[in-house]
Amino acid sequence: MRYVIALGGNALEDGKAEATAERQLEAIKQAVKGIVDVVEAGHTVVITHGNGPQVGRILMQNELAQAHTPAMPFDLCGAMSQGMIGYHIQQALRGELLRRKLSLPVATVVTQVIVDADDPAFSHPTKPIGAFYDAAEAERLTQERGYTMKEDAGRGFRRVVASPQPKTVVELKSIEALIASGQLVIACGGGGVPVVERDGLLHGVPAVIDKDLASALLAQEIGADQLIILTAVEQVAIRFGQENQENLAKLSVADAKKYASAGEFGEGSMLPKVLAGVHFAQSGEGRSTLITSLEALGQAISGIKGTRIDA
């Protein structure tokens, strides 16, 4: 089997501990054990991951250091986060593979993903990034830097950027070549660096591609059998958090769309995962998506836990 496994934020950070690089590496060391179980069973695995908190901290460092060094544009911050997180995943994977006496090279591909310059998302940015500001500072950033700032749940103002739909994975042939040579590949970190194409050249844009949608696109393009989206819960649920909550072991594409339209899935949490799962499941015969927690990964692959989406 060929899997694309999308690591959620809970796999990259311990939410109860200080967000240091050392803590991130320790969290990832625990996270990769389940992935190496899948590799050890003889399957091909490609790993993707989020980058929300990390790229936010890079942006904050930009803001705080601007008196001493020029700030990096947003697309470069995304690329930096891919390299940083990929490096930690490489370290953790290599250590776990060596512990099990498995010889498998690991490589991170800093990935660009083409988006449409005319995507409506650019006219209506919604993805919050970076630090919180008061109203006066938000106004200054709007005037001086052209940022779009929005109030965020009473906590202050944050910059928001577009979240366009992913169209093409630029480094696809490189990723396929690495897979074919027997390497364990990490790609499309944070949804990939969003780029637009003009006159045959690629240009980075200040946007965030949904990590799960990018993972679904990558899984489709490399011919994966299953997309696995790891999150904080074992199963997708309807009426989540209510007394009559119902966990779902299986979801048809039709039912997933029905529940999504009815508002059953949180817009900033489960909804993009379900929509990405639907996108991949209906992209080809025999393809399915599995949504589950990192801890339940092995049992979910065996069909005991998790939520499986089929066409």
Side-chain angles (χ1 to χ4, degrees):
M1 291 279 284
R2 177 173 288 191
Y3 296 104
V4 168
I5 300 180
L7 290 174
N10 61 315
L12 303 179
E13 290 193 337
D14 179 356
K16 299 177 182 177
E18 187 180 4
T20 64
E22 294 78 11
R23 292 288 190 179
Q24 175 176 281
L25 180 56
E26 289 305 311
I28 292 173
K29 283 180 180 178
Q30 297 304 311
V32 300
K33 291 179 180 180
I35 293 174
V36 176
D37 288 342
V38 180
V39 173
E40 194 170 24
H43 301 294
T44 298
V45 172
V46 175
I47 298 168
T48 65
H49 61 82
N51 72 340
Q54 292 83 2
V55 77
R57 284 195 289 274
I58 292 171
L59 288 168
M60 191 179 300
Q61 290 165 352
N62 262 349
E63 297 288 344
L64 294 172
Q66 60 185 326
H68 305 284
T69 185
M72 297 286 185
F74 186 67
D75 56 316
L76 261 66
C77 293
M80 290 169 67
S81 72
Q82 280 198 61
M84 173 184 69
I85 297 168
Y87 160 64
H88 269 173
I89 296 174
Q90 285 176 208
Q91 281 201 322
L93 282 171
R94 187 173 185 274
E96 186 65 19
L97 289 164
L98 287 172
R99 190 181 69 80
R100 303 191 196 192
K101 297 182 172 56
L102 297 173
S103 178
L104 188 66
V106 184
T108 296
V109 179
V110 177
T111 314
Q112 302 170 91
V113 176
I114 294 176
V115 300
D116 188 343
D118 296 321
D119 191 304
F122 286 108
S123 300
H124 303 283
T126 58
K127 182 69 174 178
I129 58 170
F132 291 90
Y133 301 92
D134 62 27
E137 186 68 4
E139 179 62 23
R140 183 188 70 79
L141 290 169
T142 300
Q143 296 300 324
E144 293 183 5
R145 303 194 182 184
Y147 290 176
T148 300
M149 307 293 290
K150 289 188 178 179
E151 199 274 334
D152 188 332
R155 296 178 292 177
F157 289 80
R158 295 178 79 187
R159 182 185 178 189
V160 291
V161 297
S163 186
Q165 295 292 307
K167 298 295 183 183
T168 306
V169 176
V170 176
E171 285 76 21
L172 179 62
K173 289 186 178 179
S174 299
I175 293 167
E176 289 180 325
L178 289 168
I179 296 169
S181 69
Q183 300 204 41
L184 182 48
V185 181
I186 304 152
C188 285
V193 178
V195 295
V196 297
E197 194 168 13
R198 291 195 297 267
D199 301 322
L201 299 177
L202 299 176
H203 303 268
V205 291
V208 174
I209 300 171
D210 181 83
K211 171 263 298 180
D212 296 311
L213 288 176
S215 301
L217 175 64
L218 177 64
Q220 180 180 342
E221 292 194 341
I222 67 168
D225 300 294
Q226 190 169 69
L227 169 65
I228 300 176
I229 299 175
L230 298 179
T231 184
V233 295
E234 287 186 6
Q235 289 184 312
V236 177
I238 55 175
R239 299 181 296 277
F240 182 75
Q242 301 177 33
E243 290 185 2
N244 59 343
Q245 174 177 318
E246 180 183 348
N247 293 342
L248 306 170
K250 293 183 179 180
L251 258 178
S252 67
V253 163
D255 282 343
K257 289 179 178 179
K258 179 184 70 175
Y259 291 138
S261 296
E264 286 286 358
F265 308 126
E267 190 169 340
S269 53
M270 189 57 73
L271 180 62
K273 294 171 174 54
V274 171
L275 294 180
V278 165
H279 178 81
F280 179 69
Q282 63 186 7
S283 68
E285 186 177 353
R287 290 177 173 174
S288 64
T289 300
L290 187 61
I291 300 176
T292 192
S293 67
L294 179 64
E295 295 76 14
L297 175 59
Q299 289 179 297
I301 288 176
S302 301
I304 300 170
K305 293 185 177 180
T307 299
R308 178 173 168 139
I309 302 175
D310 290 290

